[in-house]
Amino acid sequence: MDESEVGILCYISQLPGFRGILKQRYSDFIVNEVDLDGNVVHLTSLTAPPESVEVRDGNETKKNDYLNKSYDSEVESFRALAGEADADLLKTLIDQVTSGPKENISAIVLSPNSDKTQRTAIHNYFKENFKFLVTDTIDGPDASSKSIRVRLYSGGEGNGRNSRKRKERGDKPFDSRGSSSWPENVGKFLRFNLYKENKDTQEALGIVGKMLGVQSKSFGFAGTKDKRAVTTQRVTVFKQSASKLASLNERLIGIKVGDFCYVKDGLLLGQLQGNRFTVTLRGVLAELEDNIKASADSLGKHGFINYFGLQRFGSGSIPTHLIGAALLRGEWKAAVSMILDPREGERDVIAMAREYYKKSGDIEGTLRQLPRHLVAERALLQSLKKSPGNYLQALRAIPRTLRMMYVHSYQSYLWNHAASLRVQKYGSDQVMVGDLVFCRREAAENAGTAIDLECGADNNFVNDSEDLDEASETDVSTEQNVLVKALALEDIASHSYTVDDIILPMPGSRVIYPNNDIAEVYNDLAKKDGISLAGSPHNIKEFSITSLTGGYRRVFQKPTDFQWELLKYTDAHVPLAETDLDRITKAEPLNMADENDSAANNNSVQVDDEKGVNVSPSSTEAEGTESLDSHVALKLSFTLPASSYATMAIRELLKTSTSVAYHKTLNEKIGL
């Protein structure tokens, strides 16, 4: 996919670009989360604190309590809450538990129920009255209902590799949310810093969760971090001890956990201020070294156009915004086909599975071949297996954050084109009449044309790509209860606003559009795609622009705490930036992903004493035998808000595509 196809067309500066390879090594892209208080998250310790919680096994004191008690009154009360059929099921289960061996007791599934309030009441009833039983919620027979599953609490028993229960539940262990053995004076969530190399967030937490014996939903995090990078972020997990997590470090490969503490609440998506990036561009080459310096200084001073990057639109040959357009048109079957059909450039195992389904329609056979990380595809197939031909129900079987990605991608597609038109028509150095801005506080009371918009956090974004090219995967940058207005002549004359204040809307029901011709691009593009921004051809709210709140996004973004330096290196396998783990070990990272790193020698990176800045060799030096194999790298460090893409900042520097395919080709061509 070319950047121009998704509206990425312009630059701020007119400076010439230069050659540089992005992510030649995953350690060339280091990301540290910035929390809501502005603290940069680092891994500083791998050990559990001395006051680590000792969690008692609930079975030690209570495993026989339920054997000597009658539950007739509790079952009768449950009958009034849930009905005759479910009460009879529960009575049968309790009779099995209290009268015979526990090894072969199967879980029961209560009647489907679309009333979430009643399901919550049932969960709470079990917690209060049947502490030897654990409940969880599973999908019901149709998209609008859920069922509650009830099973005997194992208390950590039966979790072995060959456990019958583990086999019966498809290798998906239950967590212990129903446990009553957690100390009351300790926060129920363990917060820790997750360090990972060349793995995306979901993959890393999947590995940690499997070792702990908990489901992925037990973890909370503020935003996903991309795969081809070295990243550190905050994570919370429900009712786990620090010592237990710390003990995993010896077995974890490419992952480390540390900096443990107990907190009252778990992390939620969007609870971060941004990310701190350390990006190393290798194989840098420009006509003049001054061009590189001027471009780097310009990026720090003027910033970049705040486009949604290519990764927002997926890495496959079928962009996610096209799937989003099909959903907005109500073309359910077409959308399902676009998600499942064969694509160019995928790994053989995935390509073969897609091709097999396309030719045979064999859902069972396809599911056996399809890798588990393809969450959307597997959810579609499992739903179609239950309800053949019900394509809308199949789409709703995809996890909400993932299925909404397609619609948000289309919003982003429109936004990018609007931003490009704004720059093409009016430049990037002045505000114009009709531009949208957030109102100044002192002007808010007198803003007659302002719109009061409560921008919700309903646009959290999860990327299904294997090769995430970005580390800031929360969605639209919004401000709560903001006032937005279109600039008038008097605003321009007062010089109260600058280009840094200009915003553009993400289409939705509660946004206004610029009071100039930039507004036309939204409707014109949508109309070409057969979509109306003012109505919907169907009544499915989540796939309708008019049912989405919308939001606003700044057109121009400046990096903060911006630093850069030029490095000269001779060994392409030597890291040029220090990771958190390097700082901890001060040696070669152990048990981490192998990137063929070799020990740095004294001549690998050369530093010029002038201003402490590393500089590239001059053209004369490059001709010498001594510097024949030397290369130049540009190392950048900067912080961006959670909704901005570091790759778009790099694009402003290089004036070239940020696609993975382009930089892979460049890397092969140069032969570094």
Side-chain angles (χ1 to χ4, degrees):
M1 182 170 54
D2 188 79
E3 289 179 338
S4 62
E5 295 176 45
V6 291
I8 303 173
L9 303 171
C10 303
Y11 302 98
I12 288 181
S13 83
Q14 301 304 311
L15 293 166
F18 54 90
R19 188 191 75 186
I21 304 173
L22 177 64
K23 294 189 179 183
Q24 185 188 62
R25 305 161 57 79
Y26 62 74
S27 57
D28 290 340
F29 202 84
I30 299 173
V31 188
N32 293 85
E33 191 169 271
V34 179
D35 68 18
L36 289 174
D37 296 323
N39 302 309
V40 180
V41 177
H42 287 283
L43 185 73
T44 62
S45 172
L46 301 177
T47 58
E51 63 274 16
S52 179
V53 173
E54 295 296 330
V55 183
R56 294 181 294 108
D57 187 342
N59 278 2
E60 289 178 7
T61 57
K62 298 190 177 183
K63 68 179 181 180
N64 293 316
D65 287 359
Y66 56 82
L67 296 177
N68 303 312
K69 180 181 175 181
S70 170
Y71 290 93
D72 291 344
S73 62
E74 286 86 350
V75 171
E76 288 308 308
S77 297
F78 182 72
R79 194 180 302 277
L81 175 64
E84 295 289 334
D86 287 344
D88 290 343
L89 271 177
L90 176 60
K91 187 176 187 310
T92 302
L93 175 63
I94 292 175
D95 288 345
Q96 288 179 313
V97 170
T98 57
S99 62
K102 314 300 179 291
E103 288 75 16
N104 298 315
I105 296 177
S106 300
I108 61 170
V109 178
L110 304 183
S111 303
N113 191 336
S114 58
D115 186 341
K116 186 175 181 180
T117 302
Q118 188 180 24
R119 293 200 307 269
T120 301
I122 292 174
H123 284 300
N124 290 334
Y125 189 82
F126 274 90
K127 286 182 182 179
E128 293 170 6
N129 297 282
F130 306 107
K131 295 188 182 298
F132 56 94
L133 298 176
V134 175
T135 61
D136 65 346
T137 304
I138 61 175
D139 290 334
D142 56 70
S144 64
S145 69
K146 300 285 186 181
S147 295
I148 293 177
R149 176 171 50 183
V150 186
R151 57 129 187 164
L152 177 64
Y153 172 53
S154 63
E157 296 176 352
N159 287 330
R161 185 181 298 273
N162 298 315
S163 161
R164 178 185 298 274
K165 290 193 185 71
R166 179 180 289 274
K167 290 180 180 178
E168 287 174 353
R169 60 181 180 256
D171 203 34
K172 294 181 180 178
F174 294 89
D175 66 19
S176 55
R177 299 189 75 86
S179 171
S180 60
S181 60
W182 191 261
E184 292 184 4
N185 62 330
V186 176
K188 291 185 178 181
F189 291 88
L190 173 67
R191 192 182 74 191
F192 62 95
N193 292 348
L194 172 71
Y195 172 97
K196 61 182 183 63
E197 295 182 352
N198 206 29
K199 291 177 173 59
D200 62 42
T201 301
Q202 296 283 13
E203 179 186 2
L205 291 179
I207 293 170
V208 174
K210 191 171 184 179
M211 288 184 173
L212 288 175
V214 301
Q215 295 182 27
S216 297
K217 67 182 180 182
S218 295
F219 295 101
F221 52 89
T224 61
K225 303 292 182 269
D226 70 337
K227 177 178 179 178
R228 190 163 176 77
V230 176
T231 73
T232 305
Q233 67 185 109
R234 289 256 169 86
V235 177
T236 56
V237 62
F238 188 75
K239 288 186 178 179
Q240 294 292 329
S241 69
S243 58
K244 188 173 182 180
L245 246 75
S247 68
L248 302 181
N249 280 320
E250 293 182 359
R251 293 186 287 148
L252 288 169
I253 299 175
I255 304 168
K256 296 296 177 191
V257 292
D259 300 280
F260 306 100
C261 68
Y262 295 96
V263 294
K264 180 181 177 182
D265 300 310
L267 278 170
L268 300 174
L269 282 171
Q271 291 182 332
L272 76 166
Q273 195 176 103
N275 293 281
R276 178 74 180 167
F277 297 89
T278 303
V279 180
T280 304
L281 300 172
R282 292 182 182 255
V284 169
L285 182 64
E287 288 186 12
L288 297 171
E289 186 179 294
D290 285 347
N291 290 346
I292 302 172
K293 296 179 179 179
S295 293
D297 287 338
S298 176
L299 177 62
K301 184 177 180 181
H302 302 293
F304 57 97
I305 303 171
N306 199 23
Y307 288 123
F308 290 95
L310 282 178
Q311 55 274 35
R312 176 68 158 181
F313 306 96
S315 63
S317 58
I318 301 176
T320 52
H321 73 283
L322 296 184
I323 301 173
L327 292 173
L328 292 170
R329 290 191 296 266
E331 298 171 357
W332 316 131
K333 184 176 181 180
V336 168
S337 294
M338 294 169 82
I339 297 171
L340 292 177
D341 279 353
R343 307 178 181 187
E344 295 178 7
E346 289 190 311
R347 288 186 294 149
D348 288 346
V349 63
I350 301 174
M352 289 173 63
R354 290 188 190 276
E355 196 64 45
Y356 176 79
Y357 178 71
K358 182 79 172 177
K359 291 180 178 179
S360 69
D362 177 11
I363 293 178
E364 277 287 356
T366 306
L367 285 170
R368 284 195 294 270
Q369 299 178 46
L370 208 59
R372 291 192 174 275
H373 70 266
L374 295 178
V375 176
E377 288 84 347
R378 293 185 66 86
L380 286 175
L381 290 171
Q382 287 164 349
S383 179
L384 289 172
K385 179 184 172 184
K386 294 178 184 176
S387 304
N390 193 335
Y391 298 106
L392 175 58
Q393 181 175 313
L395 289 163
R396 283 176 155 175
I398 299 172
R400 175 175 168 76
T401 50
L402 189 51
R403 68 178 183 259
M404 292 308 296
M405 171 193 71
Y406 303 117
V407 176
H408 295 157
S409 179
Y410 188 76
Q411 290 175 298
S412 305
Y413 164 79
L414 295 181
W415 191 97
N416 276 1
H417 278 284
S420 288
L421 183 63
R422 170 61 180 76
V423 175
Q424 288 169 344
K425 298 203 75 158
Y426 303 122
S428 59
D429 58 353
Q430 60 181 335
V431 292
M432 302 295 294
V433 171
D435 280 336
L436 296 184
V437 296
F438 293 123
C439 290
R440 301 287 190 210
R441 277 185 192 171
E442 61 272 17
E445 293 182 4
N446 302 317
T449 59
I451 299 295
D452 186 2
L453 176 73
E454 184 176 352
C455 298
D458 59 349
N459 284 345
N460 285 322
F461 169 67
V462 176
N463 198 320
D464 66 342
S465 165
E466 276 190 84
D467 297 308
L468 289 175
D469 216 14
E470 195 58 49
S472 302
E473 290 304 340
T474 54
D475 198 12
V476 187
S477 178
T478 59
E479 298 186 15
Q480 297 291 328
N481 297 315
V482 294
L483 287 171
V484 174
K485 73 171 186 177
L487 293 180
L489 276 172
E490 53 267 31
D491 296 310
I492 306 296
S494 70
H495 303 289
S496 298
Y497 298 91
T498 70
V499 291
D500 295 333
D501 298 310
I502 300 172
I503 58 176
L504 282 171
M506 294 284 285
S509 62
R510 300 183 65 187
V511 298
I512 61 172
Y513 291 86
N515 194 17
N516 53 36
D517 49 5
I518 304 305
E520 297 172 8
V521 71
Y522 288 95
N523 287 309
D524 290 348
L525 280 175
K527 189 175 180 180
K528 286 181 182 178
D529 293 326
I531 295 166
S532 170
L533 299 182
S536 176
H538 54 78
N539 60 358
I540 309 303
K541 288 186 176 182
E542 64 182 312
F543 299 140
S544 170
I545 284 284
T546 56
S547 296
L548 296 176
T549 301
Y552 296 99
R553 181 178 177 87
R554 297 188 186 276
V555 176
F556 305 106
Q557 182 64 54
K558 290 180 182 177
T560 57
D561 300 321
F562 182 76
Q563 299 173 326
W564 65 270
E565 59 180 337
L566 284 169
L567 305 171
K568 183 168 67 176
Y569 65 99
T570 56
D571 188 344
H573 298 294
V574 173
L576 299 178
E578 193 175 44
T579 68
D580 286 349
L581 191 65
D582 291 336
R583 295 186 186 97
I584 290 176
T585 61
K586 291 300 180 184
E588 192 69 17
L590 301 176
N591 289 331
M592 300 306 290
D594 181 14
E595 205 183 2
N596 297 317
D597 286 342
S598 59
N601 57 64
N602 293 333
N603 297 320
S604 294
V605 179
Q606 298 182 13
V607 182
D608 192 296
D609 288 335
E610 182 185 355
K611 298 181 181 179
V613 176
N614 299 313
V615 296
S616 66
S618 66
S619 56
T620 307
E621 288 174 325
E623 292 171 3
T625 307
E626 227 177 291
S627 302
L628 188 62
D629 296 322
S630 66
H631 307 286
V632 178
L634 174 62
K635 186 167 77 169
L636 305 144
S637 298
F638 53 89
T639 300
L640 293 177
S643 61
S644 294
Y645 288 72
T647 47
M648 293 297 97
I650 302 304
R651 175 183 177 273
E652 178 69 28
L653 275 177
L654 301 180
K655 303 295 193 295
T656 58
S657 172
T658 57
S659 73
V660 175
Y662 172 80
H663 284 271
K664 184 177 180 181
T665 302
L666 184 61
N667 189 30
E668 292 170 350
K669 187 183 297 184
I670 297 173
L672 293 178

